[in-house]
Amino acid sequence: MAASVVKTPKCPRRGSVKDVAQSAPRTGPTSSKEANWNWWLLLATVFLVTFATRFYKVTEPDHICWDETHFGKMGSWYINRTFFFDVHPPLGKMLIGLSGYLTGYNGTFPFEKPGDKYNETRYQGMRYFCTTLGALVMPMGFDTVYDLTRSHEAALLAAAYLVFDVGLLTLNQYILLDPILLFFMMASVWGMVKVSKSTASGGSYGLRWWFWLFLTGTMLSCTISVKFVGLFVVLLVGLHTATELWLILGDLGQPILESAKQLACRAITLIVWPILLYILFFYIHLSVLNRSGNGDGFYSSAFQSRLIGNSLYNASMPRDVAYGSLVTIKNHKTGGGYLHSHHHLYPKGSGARQQQVTTYTHKDENNRWLIRLHNKHNLPKGKAQILRHGDIVRLTHMATKRNLHSHNEPAPMTKKHLQVTGYGELGVGDANDAWRLLIVGGKVNETVHTVTSRLKFIHLLQNCALTSSGKQLPKWGFEQQEVSCNPNVRDKNSQWNVEDNEHKLLPSVSFSVYAPGFFARFLESHAVMLQGNAGLKPKEGEVTSRPWQWPINYRGQFFSGSSYRIYLLGNPLIWWSNLVFLALFVTVFLCNAVVQQRRAGFARSALQNQQAQRRDSQTVAQGEESEPSTTDVCSCCLPAEQKVLRPVPGGSLEPPNPARSLRAAAWLFVGWVLHYLPFWAMGRVLYFHHYFPALIFNSLLTGVMFNYIMLVLPKWIHHVVLGLVLSILVYSFTAFSPLAYGMSGPLANEPNSTMHNLKWLSTWEF
């Protein structure tokens, strides 16, 4: 089949350029109108079927499903203007909050855990909003494939692969970031193709061309503002744009200035404009969330001073730190927590069974420590004794009256470090409670200041630095962060700062002097998000997945595990056939590349022979014009890179051809690769739903490759096969639709279950 596609076509025309022009097929107004009617009819059908399948039972079940507990809660926080921490950029959550606010949701529902009933809560608007954006992916996919191939059949099949996948349907219907991400991603690709089409038809610098450029830039910015994986579609559009500019540069019919103009226009609309929008979204985010919330502790003390209700907002506290100061001590690294202890002990096998010391990212009474002299039990009286660089101190935990302590025992997680514990009774301990306090870059007798001084606590006997390793403790440590003593005293994670500072004898100053500006908070927000993203690890007992499992539909994911079950799983016929067409594309592309290379060599050889014959020929009279060769006048013999969409009378375009379809498939394959392969290198926890952006490119690729293969067959056979495939898709969708619309009764592994015959793999758990 591949060989028939790459077979050298017979040239239908020979003769002069004028003869060729006269014999070229024309597409008149009648056929153009018919094509337009067919396009509108098919697009309307895609719209109708998509919205019918997506909005059916969209408000069921009426309880929290899967990650609605996170993103619904975050939408509530936007409505209440309460600051929070999340590993994703803010746009998706802002839009969820806005949709809820506009549809009457008041932001009071707690969104505590999956399965909680919504009762009278007006959650429907947020689901409608997410579902609408997810549903618009299918019409855009239809139009994108049509513009790439000029084939109604390819566009229809690609759209059908998206519409009838129960996995995409499930992901569309809930209050999640995924439908928003997929919408903006698909809109970016749609705009990219429209820009390319407008440029190829000579529409550069026109109003339509500018519209599509700015739309593409806007959608790119929105995509990466929802999730950082939006960077993958930015790379795709960037590669496509660079390729287009390279071809424009190689067009000798255009002045070099044209390439510079095209480059400048693309840079403004696809680089500068998206960056400005991205910054604007964060400005809105930080302006709206101006009240203290449970995410404060992930950010620096200075950052927190801008949040209304935070203990640091408009606070007055001593500038200097002294013996007798009651302080909270925060790890200075991005996203660092507070030095924390509690009554629980380290378990057996995790060092000495003494009191746990951890870092905790939330404000808590267990974060408070008293700074004392290392060799005296009582504090100095009558006059504050200021703490200075190089002083030796003892830190006593206020809630438990035990001292910060280290000894020659390995830390519970980082075995090369020493264990840090709480030790002693009522502040009385031993020599292992003494710590030398150093200011990073400090000088002798330099005063320790609140917030601004970066500090190190060096254990006096063990000569190790108090460190937050960043490792998460098991459940016995309440999944807080490990604190250890690192023999490498230069460890960057061993830097701390005093945040809250109370002392009766010291004068207070306004904390507003530490408040950072927008760009400082913008940069810190990204540092915290990126660190949080990299540090995401699976919770104990949590079901995760690996990238190799995704394309083969190895295991799904429960959205609702109650009596009304929802299970995220792809339509197996769609997913497995996608893999077949993916492999087929790679095979055809490689074979075609070999044939084209051989054909190019043959053409060069023939040209050299022709030139030699002409030099030797003495029969052509001087000044007589030779007839142009077939290669000169026949467009079917042009190299593939010169075959572009060209308008013909009647407003239509050239009919679909194999070369165009293969180029379209190649770009969709690049899109699939960019949205799938990077996950293999990620160390963070991964889930099944991460594959769905790549799935969209694979489904569009399937539509294109199906049409590519069918071009060798008569039209009526093409339509019969297409009808048969669509019928199979509809049937499989009907069979597996309970996964998305809800199942009840016995599980599929029980013989009396209505889904028993559909459990094709033992790893499917519905």
Side-chain angles (χ1 to χ4, degrees):
M1 187 171 291
S4 66
V5 174
V6 296
K7 180 181 177 182
T8 305
K10 292 183 179 180
C11 184
R13 306 182 294 276
R14 295 187 64 90
S16 68
V17 176
K18 182 177 179 181
D19 294 336
V20 171
Q22 290 175 347
S23 63
R26 302 282 181 171
T27 306
T30 303
S31 59
S32 177
K33 287 182 179 179
E34 182 181 351
N36 285 336
W37 273 110
N38 289 339
W39 183 87
W40 280 109
L41 180 62
L42 291 175
L43 181 64
T45 303
V46 171
F47 259 108
L48 181 64
V49 177
T50 299
F51 278 79
T53 54
R54 267 59 190 168
F55 280 91
Y56 177 63
K57 289 190 172 184
V58 69
T59 59
E60 299 180 21
D62 60 348
H63 61 248
I64 299 174
C65 291
W66 195 49
D67 271 358
E68 283 189 328
T69 185
H70 298 306
F71 302 118
K73 187 183 299 180
M74 292 171 188
S76 300
W77 284 332
Y78 275 106
I79 294 173
N80 299 321
R81 309 192 68 172
T82 303
F83 191 80
F84 64 92
F85 163 73
D86 187 42
V87 296
H88 303 302
L91 181 61
K93 285 103 60 180
M94 285 198 295
L95 292 175
I96 289 172
L98 179 62
S99 65
Y101 177 76
L102 294 177
T103 54
Y105 172 57
N106 58 13
T108 58
F109 187 73
F111 284 96
E112 288 183 352
K113 62 183 184 299
D116 287 354
K117 286 282 188 179
Y118 283 118
N119 296 323
E120 301 301 318
T121 302
R122 302 193 67 173
Y123 69 97
Q124 297 91 341
M126 292 183 282
R127 278 201 185 168
Y128 286 141
F129 170 73
C130 293
T131 302
T132 300
L133 291 190
L136 290 173
V137 169
M138 290 68 190
M140 286 191 293
F142 170 86
D143 194 40
T144 297
V145 172
Y146 180 74
D147 281 339
L148 286 171
T149 63
R150 309 306 296 173
S151 167
H152 294 115
E153 294 83 0
L156 181 61
L157 186 64
Y161 261 63
L162 299 177
V163 171
F164 296 121
D165 178 44
V166 291
L168 270 175
L169 169 61
T170 305
L171 210 59
N172 272 189
Q173 289 190 312
Y174 300 98
I175 306 170
L176 303 172
L177 294 185
D178 298 272
I180 305 174
L181 174 73
L182 296 179
F183 167 78
F184 288 133
M185 182 201 75
M186 191 67 246
S188 300
V189 177
W190 186 46
M192 176 190 80
V193 172
K194 290 292 186 182
V195 170
S196 182
K197 175 185 174 184
S198 182
T199 304
S201 62
S204 295
Y205 316 114
L207 186 61
R208 182 186 295 271
W209 185 77
W210 280 110
F211 169 79
W212 287 115
L213 268 178
F214 271 104
L215 177 77
T216 305
T218 301
M219 295 300 104
L220 288 175
S221 182
C222 291
T223 308
I224 202 169
S225 297
V226 173
K227 283 188 177 183
F228 283 125
V229 292
L231 177 64
F232 301 151
V233 80
V234 173
L235 291 175
L236 173 64
V237 174
L239 287 172
H240 188 271
T241 303
T243 303
E244 258 192 349
L245 291 173
W246 184 252
L247 293 177
I248 292 172
L249 181 64
D251 185 358
L252 299 183
Q254 298 285 349
I256 192 69
L257 183 61
E258 174 65 17
S259 300
K261 287 169 61 180
Q262 288 278 354
L263 176 61
C265 293
R266 310 293 175 107
I268 291 170
T269 54
L270 301 181
I271 299 176
V272 177
W273 172 244
I275 290 174
L276 292 176
L277 276 180
Y278 184 77
I279 295 172
L280 175 63
F281 295 144
F282 267 90
Y283 182 81
I284 296 171
H285 163 70
L286 293 173
S287 298
V288 171
L289 301 184
N290 63 354
R291 300 183 182 278
S292 178
N294 63 2
D296 297 10
F298 289 93
Y299 296 82
S300 68
S301 306
F303 190 105
Q304 295 178 46
S305 68
R306 298 294 300 265
L307 300 174
I308 300 171
N310 189 283
S311 61
L312 302 178
Y313 181 75
N314 285 340
S316 292
M317 64 179 63
R319 167 72 167 157
D320 298 327
V321 182
Y323 290 99
S325 289
L326 190 59
V327 299
T328 58
I329 301 172
K330 194 175 193 301
N331 192 262
H332 198 72
K333 71 178 181 182
T334 301
Y338 297 96
L339 187 64
H340 176 97
S341 188
H342 39 239
H343 286 281
H344 299 272
L345 306 181
Y346 286 104
K348 186 177 180 180
S350 299
R353 297 208 66 201
Q354 296 175 7
Q355 185 168 293
Q356 296 176 16
V357 174
T358 65
T359 58
Y360 188 48
T361 52
H362 302 285
K363 290 182 178 290
D364 188 280
E365 284 298 312
N366 283 324
N367 300 341
R368 290 154 62 88
W369 300 81
L370 181 66
I371 300 178
R372 301 169 49 216
L373 293 164
H374 78 287
N375 54 2
K376 294 182 182 179
H377 183 68
N378 295 324
L379 298 170
K381 295 182 179 180
K383 185 179 179 180
Q385 184 176 337
I386 303 300
L387 204 58
R388 300 185 185 278
H389 173 73
D391 283 0
I392 301 174
V393 302
R394 188 186 302 267
L395 295 176
T396 301
H397 188 243
M398 284 303 295
T400 62
K401 305 302 181 186
R402 288 194 168 97
N403 299 327
L404 188 70
H405 176 99
S406 186
H407 47 224
N408 194 21
E409 288 277 349
M413 306 293 290
T414 312
K415 298 300 182 181
K416 292 182 179 180
H417 294 187
L418 302 182
Q419 184 186 32
V420 174
T421 68
Y423 179 76
E425 295 290 338
L426 299 177
V428 178
D430 61 20
N432 278 320
D433 302 343
W435 301 82
R436 186 180 299 278
L437 182 60
L438 301 178
I439 300 174
V440 177
K443 300 177 181 178
V444 177
N445 290 327
E446 183 175 335
T447 302
V448 176
H449 291 151
T450 308
V451 175
T452 55
S453 292
R454 284 184 294 159
L455 309 174
K456 282 180 175 284
F457 295 90
I458 308 298
H459 195 266
L460 194 62
L461 299 185
Q462 302 296 337
N463 194 34
C464 55
L466 184 70
T467 300
S468 174
S469 68
K471 294 183 179 179
Q472 192 177 62
L473 295 171
K475 282 191 174 180
W476 56 256
F478 306 96
E479 298 181 344
Q480 296 172 9
Q481 302 290 316
E482 178 192 42
V483 169
S484 59
C485 202
N486 189 352
N488 176 17
V489 296
R490 296 181 180 179
D491 185 358
K492 291 183 179 179
N493 293 335
S494 66
Q495 296 183 18
W496 306 78
N497 68 268
V498 172
E499 182 171 289
D500 294 296
N501 179 16
E502 301 176 19
H503 198 292
K504 295 179 181 179
L505 301 179
L506 292 176
S508 296
V509 298
S510 174
F511 208 85
S512 60
V513 297
Y514 307 126
F518 164 70
F519 280 103
R521 292 190 295 153
F522 174 78
L523 294 175
E524 183 175 341
S525 295
H526 282 77
V528 173
M529 283 190 297
L530 292 172
Q531 181 174 292
N533 231 319
L536 285 177
K537 303 298 179 185
K539 297 177 182 177
E540 193 171 332
E542 185 178 19
V543 177
T544 61
S545 61
R546 297 303 306 162
W548 68 266
Q549 300 174 345
W550 302 342
I552 61 175
N553 215 20
Y554 180 76
R555 177 188 285 117
Q557 193 168 312
F558 266 111
F559 266 42
S560 175
S562 63
S563 57
Y564 191 89
R565 301 188 304 278
I566 305 293
Y567 191 69
L568 177 66
L569 186 74
N571 184 330
L573 295 185
I574 289 176
W575 286 53
W576 295 341
S577 62
N578 268 342
L579 293 181
V580 172
F581 280 100
L582 199 67
L584 182 64
F585 162 75
V586 173
T587 303
V588 170
F589 186 83
L590 292 177
C591 291
N592 192 72
V594 172
V595 171
Q596 290 294 340
Q597 183 67 9
R598 296 290 296 172
R599 183 183 296 168
F602 177 78
R604 285 193 298 270
S605 177
L607 180 62
Q608 290 171 356
N609 292 336
Q610 185 181 28
Q611 290 173 342
Q613 291 174 3
R614 285 182 178 179
R615 283 195 301 268
D616 296 339
S617 176
Q618 302 297 324
T619 59
V620 179
Q622 187 176 6
E624 182 181 351
E625 293 186 1
S626 60
E627 182 181 355
S629 68
T630 304
T631 306
D632 295 330
V633 300
C634 183
S635 66
C636 71
C637 303
L638 289 174
E641 61 270 13
Q642 296 182 25
K643 293 182 179 179
V644 296
L645 295 177
R646 293 186 292 275
V648 295
S652 183
L653 296 170
E654 292 181 39
N657 62 66
R660 181 186 301 141
S661 293
L662 198 60
R663 287 195 297 274
W667 280 112
L668 294 172
F669 178 76
V670 171
W672 177 82
V673 168
L674 288 175
H675 285 80
Y676 175 56
L677 291 190
F679 287 103
W680 285 83
M682 292 186 186
R684 56 153 289 175
V685 60
L686 297 172
Y687 302 99
F688 178 49
H689 70 98
H690 287 133
Y691 183 68
F692 281 83
L695 171 73
I696 289 180
F697 286 99
N698 199 169
S699 296
L700 300 182
L701 173 64
T702 295
V704 174
M705 287 306 298
F706 176 84
N707 181 70
Y708 182 93
I709 297 166
M710 290 294 107
L711 285 176
V712 302
L713 300 176
K715 200 71 172 179
W716 69 271
I717 297 180
H718 188 171
H719 288 167
V720 169
V721 175
L722 178 62
L724 180 63
V725 171
L726 291 176
S727 300
I728 294 172
L729 292 181
V730 173
Y731 177 78
S732 64
F733 173 80
T734 304
F736 284 95
S737 61
L739 298 176
Y741 293 137
M743 301 168 285
S744 57
L747 295 173
N749 56 6
E750 300 179 24
N752 60 340
S753 171
T754 56
M755 304 294 289
H756 180 69
N757 292 331
L758 296 176
K759 187 176 168 64
W760 297 350
L761 295 182
S762 61
T763 50
W764 295 352
E765 301 163 317
F766 56 82

